[in-house]
């Protein structure tokens, strides 16, 4: 990172000397400095070492952490031009003493509640995140400590034998039994381990043993909610008549929709401590994507006697906002032994036995860079590495296989859309996807989306009808919703296709079997989605995935990013990048600071 100069918008104007030094080195941003100065001005705090700590805590939240571990503060200088050792870091003991004595800071769990920053166990929090962490900690602990629900053991055993027979996965039975007896069950597992199947059958067990129950299915994004609903329906359709009738037709929604948006606010909801959700059971899928603040709001909104089932893979990317709640809860919650707790599914039920995708994911998760590269280079039909020299952009020959996949998927999508085949268009949309780490630059969304759009246009050919070439709307345009819209029921992250339906153009989104149709003039903000970031792709599945890695120096290259991208693919995954980039990703796990795993 280069030093900031006077004309750079990232420069904090009029910052005091110590903060200015860290700002110009790129360790803290102008916004971090301004937050620290503003908070300091409220109480007259002028000690620059304290203000630096607050600026670093603000930077930590922007980076996805809940708090700042003071001993790790120098890690923020890793990408700065000035080596961390050459920056004027305060002496640790004096720094801690100054923080503890500051009128800005509440010290310890029982410290004053009216101060904007809190210092607990070597961790510095902005007060909002401290409060949210305490909500999650206390609510989770209360649920785990609650006495087990009274259960008819004979009826439970019969339901388990019928819905999850002994020949199946014993851990699936354990998860269902834990959810019946407990108020918090965390169901984890890698791709293909049957998490959604377990959820559907677990619900059937609950309805038999403890029903009738009001059940809510939810996920962080509209796309993930649609996938959850579709998958649960598929499993429920396989059940016997009585169990199908007990479960009924379940619908899934985003967490924001479940909690109830309040106009003009992104942090407050209709349901909360004073107005609990009416549901007896809430199941949340893709919980790795849930931020700490959103998890706090969900826990506050639940009735104390309601059951909560959190489902997800803690090895995937965490929320783009602060926190890694699923990983923290898995680390601090005991394994299920009767009532509630953590159940990690291990048996793989999905993908062909000869697929190399799951072994590849396992190597990445284990941090084994050499095994990861060996699998990528092995020439297996399900895994492909287009190996590039570091800092080398791929040429036509290196892009040939990616282009063939993108063109085939795009041609099928456009032709189905022109014919008004909504189901065919949505299925084609899920047949291949380009995933990237960055939004901008040669390895970013903008570049790759434009390139794929060009390939698709050449493969599909011109539309036979005379359409306005200046219009942004055309049959076959794949769209990604980028804003929540309660009126249409669309949410940030939903994807779909514009199709011709004989009356004009309509966007179709969601389940290919029962798509939601919205006229283009009623759509919220959307962007064309020939490529997307790995974060955006989380919660989705595609038959084939092409992942474009940035150079090895990119700070976005992490184990979780690579693992998440690889596990989006059902049939084939292609990685374009250098060996150095693959190694850097596998060897760089995300570290998000929080105190949730630490006893108070």
């Amino acid at each position: 990172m280069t030093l900031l100069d006077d004309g750079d918008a990232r420069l904090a104007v009029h910052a005091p000397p110590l903060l200015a030094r860290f700002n110009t080195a790129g360790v803290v941003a102008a916004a971090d400095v301004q937050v620290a100065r503003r908070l300091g001005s409220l109480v007259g705090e002028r000690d620059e070492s304290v203000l630096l700590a607050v600026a670093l805590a603000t930077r930590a939240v922007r980076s996805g952490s809940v708090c700042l571990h003071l001993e790790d503060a120098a890690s923020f200088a890793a990408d700065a031009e000035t080596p961390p050792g050459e920056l004027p870091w305060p002496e640790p003991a004096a720094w801690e003493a100054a923080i503890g004595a500051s009128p800005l800071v509440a010290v310890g769990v029982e410290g004053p509640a009216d101060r904007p920053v809190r210092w607990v166990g070597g961790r510095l929090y902005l007060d909002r995140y401290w409060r949210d962490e305490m909500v999650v900690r206390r609510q989770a602990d209360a649920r785990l400590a609650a006495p087990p629900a009274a259960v008819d053991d004979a009826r439970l055993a019969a339901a388990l034998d019928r819905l999850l027979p002994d020949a199946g996965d014993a851990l699936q039975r354990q998860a269902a039994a834990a959810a019946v007896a407990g108020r918090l069950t965390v169901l984890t597992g890698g791709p293909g381990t049957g998490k959604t199947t377990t959820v559907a059958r677990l619900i059937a067990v609950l309805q038999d043993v403890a029903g009738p129950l009001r059940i809510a299915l939810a996920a962080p994004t509209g796309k993930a909610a649609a996938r959850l609903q579709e998958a649960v329906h598929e499993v429920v359709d396989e059940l016997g008549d009585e169990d199908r009738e007990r479960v009924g037709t379940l619908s899934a929604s985003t967490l924001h929709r479940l909690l109830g948006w309040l106009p003009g606010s992104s942090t407050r909801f209709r349901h909360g401590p004073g107005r609990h959700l009416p549901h007896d059971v809430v199941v949340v899928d893709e919980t790795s994507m849930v931020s700490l603040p959103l998890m706090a709001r969900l826990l506050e909104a639940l009735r104390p006697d309601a059951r909560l089932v959190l489902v997800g893979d803690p090895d995937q990317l965490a929320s783009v906002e602060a926190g890694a709640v699923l990983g923290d809860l898995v680390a601090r919650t005991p394994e299920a032994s009767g009532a509630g707790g953590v159940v990690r599914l291990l048996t793989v039920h999905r993908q062909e036995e000869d697929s190399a995708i799951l072994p590849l994911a396992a190597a990445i998760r284990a941090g084994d860079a050499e095994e990861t590269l060996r699998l990528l280079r092995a020439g297996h039909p399900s895994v492909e590495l287009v190996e590039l020299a570091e800092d080398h952009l791929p040429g036509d020959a290196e892009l040939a296989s990616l282009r063939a996949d993108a063109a085939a998927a795009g041609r099928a999508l456009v032709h189905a859309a022109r014919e008004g085949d909504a189901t065919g268009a949505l299925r084609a949309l899920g047949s291949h996807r380009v995933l990237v780490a960055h939004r901008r630059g040669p390895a970013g969304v903008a570049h790759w989306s434009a390139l794929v759009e060009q390939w698709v246009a050449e493969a599909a050919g011109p539309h036979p009808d005379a359409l306005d070439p200046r219009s942004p709307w055309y049959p076959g345009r794949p769209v990604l919703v980028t804003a929540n819209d309660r009126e249409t029921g669309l949410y940030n992250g939903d994807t779909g296709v514009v199709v011709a339906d004989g009356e004009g153009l309509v966007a179709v989104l969601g389940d290919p079997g029962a798509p939601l149709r919205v006229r283009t003039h009623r759509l919220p903000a959307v962007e064309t989605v020939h490529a997307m970031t790995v974060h955006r792709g989380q919660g989705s599945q595609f038959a084939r995935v092409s992942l474009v890695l940035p150079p090895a120096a990119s700070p976005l290259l992490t184990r979780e990013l690579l693992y998440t991208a690889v596990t989006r693919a059902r049939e084939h995954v292609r990685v374009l990048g250098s060996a150095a980039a693959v190694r850097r990703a596998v060897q760089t796990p995300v570290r998000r600071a929080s105190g949730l795993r630490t006893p108070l």
Side-chain angles (χ1 to χ4, degrees):
M1 182 180 292
T2 58
L3 292 173
L4 308 187
D5 58 37
D6 290 344
D8 197 310
R10 295 170 292 173
L11 184 70
V13 180
H14 305 308
L18 185 65
L19 271 69
R21 182 72 181 87
F22 281 82
N23 173 229
T24 55
V27 178
V28 292
D32 306 327
V33 173
Q34 298 306 332
V35 168
R37 293 181 66 197
R38 174 61 178 161
L39 293 178
S41 70
L42 294 176
V43 297
E45 177 58 83
R46 292 192 174 92
D47 187 325
E48 283 197 63
S49 69
V50 175
L51 299 182
L52 174 62
V54 175
L56 288 165
T58 307
R59 157 71 191 270
V61 169
R62 286 196 301 106
S63 302
S65 291
V66 173
C67 58
L68 169 72
H69 284 281
L70 204 63
E71 62 187 20
D72 295 334
S75 66
F76 290 133
D79 298 319
E81 184 168 285
T82 304
E86 295 181 14
L87 288 167
W89 295 96
E91 191 277 324
W95 202 6
E96 290 191 17
I99 291 170
S102 173
L104 260 181
V105 180
V107 178
V109 176
E110 303 299 331
D114 59 349
R115 298 190 179 183
V117 184
R118 187 166 295 264
W119 174 246
V120 180
R123 305 184 302 275
L124 193 67
Y125 294 82
L126 300 181
D127 185 65
R128 168 191 167 186
Y129 294 95
W130 162 255
R131 290 174 183 269
D132 286 344
E133 185 173 284
M134 289 300 291
V135 167
V136 173
R137 178 190 295 273
R138 287 169 173 162
Q139 291 274 358
D141 288 349
R143 290 181 171 280
L144 290 168
V151 176
D152 182 330
D153 291 336
R155 182 155 189 159
L156 174 60
L160 291 174
D161 288 343
R162 183 178 70 256
L163 292 160
L164 291 160
D166 287 331
D169 190 332
L171 290 172
Q172 293 179 328
R173 293 169 59 90
Q174 183 180 347
V180 168
R183 296 182 187 173
L184 174 62
T185 304
V186 184
L187 178 64
T188 76
T193 52
K195 295 188 293 293
T196 308
T197 298
T198 304
V199 164
R201 293 180 176 272
L202 175 156
I203 289 170
V205 171
L206 277 167
Q207 289 289 30
D208 182 359
V209 176
L213 301 170
R214 290 166 292 185
I215 294 178
L217 302 179
T221 68
K223 182 68 175 179
R227 281 192 61 241
L228 171 63
Q229 179 175 307
E230 181 183 0
V232 167
H233 286 178
E234 287 179 0
V235 178
V236 171
D237 286 344
E238 298 171 356
L239 304 180
D241 292 344
E242 286 190 22
D243 287 310
R244 269 204 320 275
E245 186 175 345
R246 286 193 195 100
V247 173
T249 303
L250 295 172
S251 61
S253 72
T254 64
L255 277 170
H256 290 82
R257 187 175 185 182
L258 175 70
L259 294 172
W261 280 104
L262 286 178
S265 175
S266 60
T267 58
R268 295 186 300 112
F269 300 93
R270 191 163 56 249
H271 293 287
R275 186 180 181 182
H276 288 138
L277 290 163
H279 304 94
D280 304 299
V281 182
V282 174
V283 178
V284 181
D285 197 15
E286 297 290 352
T287 308
S288 65
M289 301 166 65
V290 179
S291 67
L292 175 74
L294 187 56
M295 182 61 72
R297 301 293 81 76
L298 172 64
L299 287 165
E300 286 179 327
L302 292 173
R303 298 199 325 262
D305 62 337
R307 294 173 171 89
L308 176 63
V309 181
L310 301 176
V311 186
D313 186 345
D315 297 310
Q316 287 188 20
L317 282 168
S319 165
V320 293
E321 300 177 56
V325 184
L326 180 61
D328 287 344
L329 287 175
V330 169
R332 76 185 304 273
T333 304
E335 291 188 10
S337 56
V342 173
V343 179
R344 180 184 281 273
L345 302 180
L346 301 173
T347 304
V348 175
H349 303 280
R350 195 183 72 208
Q351 293 191 340
E352 299 297 326
E353 290 185 4
D354 62 347
S355 172
I357 294 176
L358 294 180
L360 176 63
I364 296 167
R365 187 175 62 242
D368 190 337
E370 297 312 311
E371 176 65 5
T372 298
L373 280 168
R374 187 193 70 77
L375 288 166
L376 284 170
R377 290 166 169 163
H380 196 282
S382 60
V383 169
E384 176 185 354
L385 175 63
V386 179
E387 191 165 346
L388 308 175
E390 182 63 10
D391 297 325
H392 169 70
L393 296 177
D396 290 344
E398 293 157 321
L399 290 176
S401 60
L402 188 159
R403 178 171 183 168
D405 273 353
R411 182 168 51 246
L413 183 149
V414 171
H415 288 172
R418 289 173 178 172
E419 294 169 5
D421 180 1
T423 296
L426 284 170
R427 285 179 177 157
L429 185 65
S431 63
H432 176 258
R433 181 57 48 85
V434 174
L435 298 179
V436 300
H438 292 261
R439 290 197 58 81
R440 298 177 182 84
V445 168
H447 169 79
W448 283 94
S449 191
L451 189 58
V452 174
E453 187 167 23
Q454 176 186 327
W455 293 340
V456 171
E458 293 173 1
H463 194 284
D465 299 329
L467 295 177
D468 183 354
R470 297 166 298 179
S471 172
W473 304 110
Y474 53 87
R477 180 188 176 190
V479 293
L480 170 73
V481 177
T482 59
N484 297 310
D485 184 60
R486 293 175 61 191
E487 196 171 310
T488 59
L490 297 177
Y491 292 86
N492 190 351
D494 289 349
T495 57
V497 186
V498 177
V499 303
D501 68 348
E503 299 179 6
L505 297 178
V506 63
V508 294
L509 306 98
D511 181 356
L516 174 66
R517 295 171 177 266
V518 180
R519 289 293 169 190
T520 54
H521 70 274
R522 296 188 61 229
L523 286 172
V526 298
E527 60 186 37
T528 303
V529 65
H530 287 291
M532 61 170 44
T533 63
V534 178
H535 262 294
R536 283 285 197 188
Q538 199 164 351
S540 299
Q541 286 281 311
F542 308 98
R544 301 173 73 84
V545 165
S546 295
L547 170 65
V548 181
L549 292 179
S554 169
L556 297 184
L557 268 180
T558 65
R559 182 182 302 168
E560 289 77 5
L561 179 130
L562 184 57
Y563 175 85
T564 301
V566 163
T567 55
R568 297 312 88 206
R570 294 192 303 270
E571 300 171 8
H572 181 271
V573 63
R574 172 187 299 108
V575 177
L576 287 84
S578 68
V582 173
R583 287 193 179 94
R584 168 71 184 267
V586 175
Q587 295 169 351
T588 310
V590 170
R591 290 187 170 86
R592 289 192 165 188
S594 92
L596 196 54
R597 304 184 185 202
T598 308
L600 291 176

